[in-house]
Amino acid sequence: TLRLICTTTAVQRKNVRASGPEKYTEAFIKKQIEEFNLGKRHLANMMGEDPETFTQEDIDRAIAYLFPSGLFDKQARPMMKHPTEIFPEQRKIQWGEDGRPFHFLFYTGKQSYYSLMHETYEKLLNIQKHQDQLTVQDLPLQKEKRNLAGSRWLSKIELEEMLLEKLSDDDYSRFIQLLQKLVALPCADIEEEYIQKFSKEVPVQLQKVVIEPLQYDERGVAFSTGEGKRKTASATAVVYDNGSGKITVNGTDILHYFPVLQDREQLLFPFQFLGRIGKHDMVCTVSGGGRSAQAGAIRLASAKALRSFVTEKEVEFMRQAGLLTVDPRVKERKKPGQEGPRRKFTWKKR
Amino acid sequence: MAAPSAAGLGRRLRAWLPRIMPVRWSRYDPSYLEPEVNKEFYQKPLEKLTEEEREQMELKAVQPIKAAPPTLSSSVFSDPMISKFTNMMMKSGNKILARSLMSQTLEAIKRKQLEKYHKAPENEKETIECNPYVIFHQALKNCQPIIGISNITKGGKTYQVPVPLTDNRKRFLAMKWLITECRENKHRRTMMPEKLSQELLLAFNNEGPVIKKKHILHKMAEANRAYAHFRWW
């Protein structure tokens, strides 16, 4: 006997949201890679270049030449990249034909995260066992401290890419705490390779800015220039040596230009920090912004100019006092539907 | 959070909660550290207190640091507590007025203390404190409550539950009480510096309406001790 199958239109329609992101099979990706390689050779032929030595930069240049686009968003322009860069990496299906999952932690929902935590804890126990063995044999525990300054842990996004699954902030912080605990133990050198998988080098050369040498003007007095910006104000400062502490802004004395005490304090801040108040003369030009922004711009310009007069250690001290960083705070834009950047319109009940 | 009213049947009012939209954010990357302006910190020779400080120095050498704000400076006259108090006293962004009021207050305190100093007999002269900054700090410390009160609703009723306060919260409450006290409970003609200096001197000697307010808060917390277990944090 036949049975009538009654379904509603809601069930017949495809549930787009529940299926998740589009899944690509391995065969599909392989085909895409073949097509890409073939297309690369064709493109090289078209451009008159050698197909064997056609790099990604050449591809980008060729595509930009053949399909010029004035679109603002770079991601929206036509691009030709290797399929692994375009299609996001996805996990293969985690269960076999009988429906039984491969990994024993599949039903936790976050199998790679929990398996990672298990492995790390196993290493921790390993180290503790090793430590106990050493204490039993009365051997000294190694206390070589790792250089913390040169490395950082993987960020949450990088860890997500490594594990191919989403993490929450809480999970991530727990994992980092476990790693820190692992590193803090004295005999952590055994598991050094494992730890290095999760740490990255931080380039110490971040702050390698070239300090310009002093220039000498006609009278033989040493001077140096610096430029600074704050909000919309931009300033240039010329700091002269063998001075009496006179500061001129746009042709007028600072007492007349900055009647407010706070601005004058800001101008003198770099000099006071280095202890060179009466020793330098300064001539500056400033435009744009308001009174406080102009003061901040001149402060940055004078600090940059003073770098040439001072030892490297003092430059580092100035940087740690916040004198050499450009202040990124600017006026926030007004949003549609609101009266200002944060203030909303008056709420009316009816 | 308006519930869908019966009047608007066709439209469904759903508050759009953006996926990633922090309300409090800053233009700096979270990895940027706060600047250290104190000159003596940098003049200490290499034999510092502990190894921790040396490690901290090494870490700081690698990480980027925020720019110092315009209110902060390494001169002896800039004090973070005083700047915070000035900012709280400021109205509609008029920092110039607030700063001048603050300096007039400190001057008034100094004058009053000097008067007392010159009138006092020889043996008491050493006990009188003339430094207005010291008086300000001590007065603030005396005004800070130790325990606070928070409204917790349980089973329909709202209880006043005693709650521990963080340092920042204590400082904020002390400053807020001082300012509101000076703005409201004074004669129409008295100037703010005059009234503030009066309040600060009273607080320095553990007298005055602000200290009384602090004691009332402590008594309330003590009285509601029974509800302390309602707190879940």
Side-chain angles (χ1 to χ4, degrees):
Chain A
T1 45
L2 290 168
R3 262 225 325 234
L4 272 173
I5 306 171
C6 307
T7 51
T8 51
T9 45
V11 177
Q12 280 167 356
R13 256 192 309 165
K14 207 166 48 161
N15 190 353
V16 182
R17 267 201 283 175
S19 49
E22 211 183 312
K23 294 188 179 62
Y24 310 110
T25 47
E26 267 190 60
F28 174 76
I29 300 275
K30 268 199 199 142
K31 209 176 91 172
Q32 294 291 317
I33 295 178
E34 279 165 23
E35 279 183 15
F36 172 76
N37 287 326
L38 205 59
K40 200 166 85 165
R41 294 181 77 91
H42 277 301
L43 190 63
N45 210 8
M46 271 197 272
M47 299 299 286
E49 310 244 359
D50 182 18
E52 303 298 326
T53 57
F54 204 52
T55 54
Q56 185 61 42
E57 290 164 355
D58 298 327
I59 300 181
D60 293 331
R61 259 186 285 134
I63 297 286
Y65 171 71
L66 292 168
F67 304 101
S69 148
L71 291 175
F72 193 67
D73 190 4
K74 310 274 181 186
Q75 300 283 327
R77 296 182 185 179
M79 65 165 133
M80 182 163 157
K81 290 206 185 337
H82 194 78
T84 42
E85 290 171 43
I86 300 187
F87 298 107
E89 248 185 83
Q90 280 165 350
R91 280 211 282 216
K92 302 170 257 200
I93 297 187
Q94 305 286 320
W95 53 89
E97 275 189 12
D98 54 348
R100 197 152 174 266
F102 297 132
H103 197 87
F104 73 106
L105 287 172
F106 174 78
Y107 287 113
T108 56
K110 311 180 228 178
Q111 63 174 51
S112 10
Y113 170 70
Y114 283 116
S115 69
L116 184 72
M117 293 289 274
H118 269 293
E119 268 174 46
T120 321
Y121 194 65
E122 221 183 285
K123 306 282 179 197
L124 192 96
L125 290 172
N126 213 5
I127 292 177
Q128 280 175 347
K129 212 166 76 170
H130 192 256
Q131 231 176 300
D132 293 331
Q133 278 173 356
L134 285 182
T135 38
V136 158
Q137 293 162 15
D138 282 327
L139 286 170
L141 301 167
Q142 295 147 4
K143 278 209 173 179
E144 293 155 23
K145 277 213 173 142
R146 278 176 84 245
N147 191 11
L148 294 163
S151 59
R152 64 167 176 95
W153 296 118
L154 276 187
S155 79
K156 184 173 160 230
I157 304 170
E158 285 162 357
L159 194 62
E160 276 183 2
E161 274 173 37
M162 212 170 100
L163 299 176
L164 287 178
E165 86 183 358
K166 291 258 182 263
L167 289 176
S168 83
D169 288 328
D170 212 22
D171 294 335
Y172 172 70
S173 59
R174 279 196 81 162
F175 178 61
I176 297 293
Q177 277 168 17
L178 191 60
L179 278 178
Q180 279 164 352
K181 197 170 163 191
L182 192 67
V183 163
L185 291 175
C187 301
D189 313 315
I190 312 162
E191 310 295 342
E192 197 58 48
E193 310 156 14
Y194 185 73
I195 297 171
Q196 264 160 19
K197 272 198 262 174
F198 301 107
S199 72
K200 264 195 171 181
E201 286 285 318
V202 167
V204 190
Q205 268 75 27
L206 297 168
Q207 286 87 33
K208 284 299 168 200
V209 186
V210 179
I211 303 176
E212 280 152 20
L214 291 171
Q215 293 155 359
Y216 292 88
D217 73 348
E218 310 102 29
R219 286 176 296 152
V221 175
F223 73 94
S224 82
T225 44
E227 284 174 5
K229 273 200 201 303
R230 170 89 212 267
K231 277 195 197 176
T232 335
S234 55
T236 45
V238 186
V239 178
Y240 293 94
D241 208 357
N242 294 355
S244 59
K246 223 168 47 163
I247 306 182
T248 318
V249 183
N250 282 0
T252 46
D253 194 37
I254 48 164
L255 258 183
H256 297 290
Y257 198 81
F258 290 119
V260 183
L261 175 66
Q262 181 186 301
D263 305 332
R264 276 174 277 150
E265 210 179 10
Q266 285 296 292
L267 289 200
L268 291 169
F269 183 8
F271 298 98
Q272 202 265 344
F273 184 76
L274 296 166
R276 291 170 179 236
I277 295 192
K279 297 183 194 164
H280 292 287
D281 261 342
M282 189 158 78
V283 176
C284 11
T285 47
V286 66
S287 67
R291 74 150 223 272
S292 188
Q294 284 186 343
I298 302 178
R299 179 185 94 182
L300 182 60
S302 58
K304 283 194 177 166
L306 278 171
R307 276 183 310 186
S308 336
F309 286 94
V310 147
T311 56
E312 263 194 41
K313 243 190 171 178
E314 298 211 291
V315 170
E316 179 57 29
F317 289 156
M318 271 216 284
R319 185 191 76 94
Q320 287 191 10
L323 279 169
L324 295 175
T325 354
V326 178
D327 206 326
R329 302 182 287 180
V330 284
K331 206 157 168 175
E332 208 175 307
R333 70 160 272 199
K334 172 193 167 332
K335 283 114 197 171
Q338 293 178 2
E339 197 172 307
R342 300 281 169 119
R343 170 158 166 77
K344 323 280 185 274
F345 287 122
T346 321
W347 180 74
K348 297 219 182 79
K349 201 158 174 175
R350 52 188 72 85
Chain B
M1 304 280 216
S5 54
L9 270 173
R11 283 241 225 114
R12 237 184 268 160
L13 288 165
R14 198 206 292 182
W16 176 65
L17 290 158
R19 241 176 339 142
I20 310 162
M21 180 70 125
V23 177
R24 238 185 277 168
W25 58 286
S26 92
R27 293 280 306 188
Y28 290 108
D29 197 65
S31 61
Y32 276 62
L33 306 171
E34 297 293 326
E36 171 69 56
V37 178
N38 196 5
K39 260 212 291 197
E40 278 141 24
F41 181 79
Y42 297 112
Q43 271 155 14
K44 265 198 278 185
L46 272 176
E47 16 98 341
K48 282 183 195 139
L49 288 168
T50 32
E51 280 192 21
E52 297 173 352
E53 294 222 332
R54 261 180 247 184
E55 273 180 39
Q56 257 184 13
M57 277 287 281
E58 272 178 56
L59 279 171
K60 259 198 158 176
V62 196
Q63 275 147 352
I65 303 201
K66 299 188 192 176
T71 42
L72 193 63
S73 127
S74 67
S75 78
V76 281
F77 301 109
S78 80
D79 186 9
M81 206 80 98
I82 302 252
S83 331
K84 250 278 146 25
F85 196 76
T86 329
N87 287 344
M88 286 184 66
M89 260 208 308
M90 170 168 69
K91 274 191 183 174
S92 328
N94 198 346
K95 179 84 110 202
I96 309 175
L97 184 62
R99 182 97 186 233
S100 70
L101 285 176
M102 194 69 219
S103 45
Q104 280 168 34
T105 317
L106 294 170
E107 195 194 320
I109 294 178
K110 182 84 188 210
R111 277 183 200 275
K112 289 187 190 168
Q113 288 298 89
L114 275 178
E115 232 183 270
K116 252 170 78 178
Y117 182 84
H118 287 302
K119 283 195 194 151
E122 276 303 321
N123 46 351
E124 279 177 41
K125 274 201 173 170
E126 284 156 7
T127 52
I128 297 178
E129 181 59 58
C130 274
N131 188 351
Y133 291 95
V134 167
I135 294 186
F136 180 81
H137 286 265
Q138 189 56 46
L140 259 190
K141 241 192 344 197
N142 292 350
C143 287
Q144 282 179 11
I146 305 174
I147 194 167
I149 281 238
S150 139
N151 297 349
I152 295 188
T153 322
K154 199 155 165 157
K157 271 170 76 174
T158 331
Y159 300 99
Q160 307 270 19
V161 175
V163 133
L165 299 171
T166 57
D167 273 332
N168 281 338
R169 180 83 185 146
K170 289 182 193 164
R171 257 177 266 143
F172 170 77
L173 278 175
M175 290 196 240
K176 181 94 182 211
W177 287 342
L178 270 172
I179 295 175
T180 34
E181 173 63 42
C182 294
R183 279 186 185 158
E184 286 157 26
N185 304 351
K186 63 172 164 91
H187 183 62
R188 195 173 59 88
R189 298 278 297 217
T190 40
M191 293 287 124
M192 179 73 163
E194 209 183 289
K195 176 74 181 170
L196 233 194
S197 52
Q198 214 180 8
E199 289 299 329
L200 282 171
L201 285 166
L202 286 174
F204 179 68
N205 298 326
N206 270 318
E207 301 151 355
V210 193
I211 302 285
K212 210 166 139 192
K213 190 161 178 181
K214 174 182 93 150
H215 287 321
I216 292 175
L217 183 69
H218 284 174
K219 282 196 193 119
M220 282 261 290
E222 182 63 33
N224 286 1
R225 223 171 50 177
Y227 302 127
H229 64 282
F230 281 168
R231 178 173 66 95
W232 63 82
W233 60 89

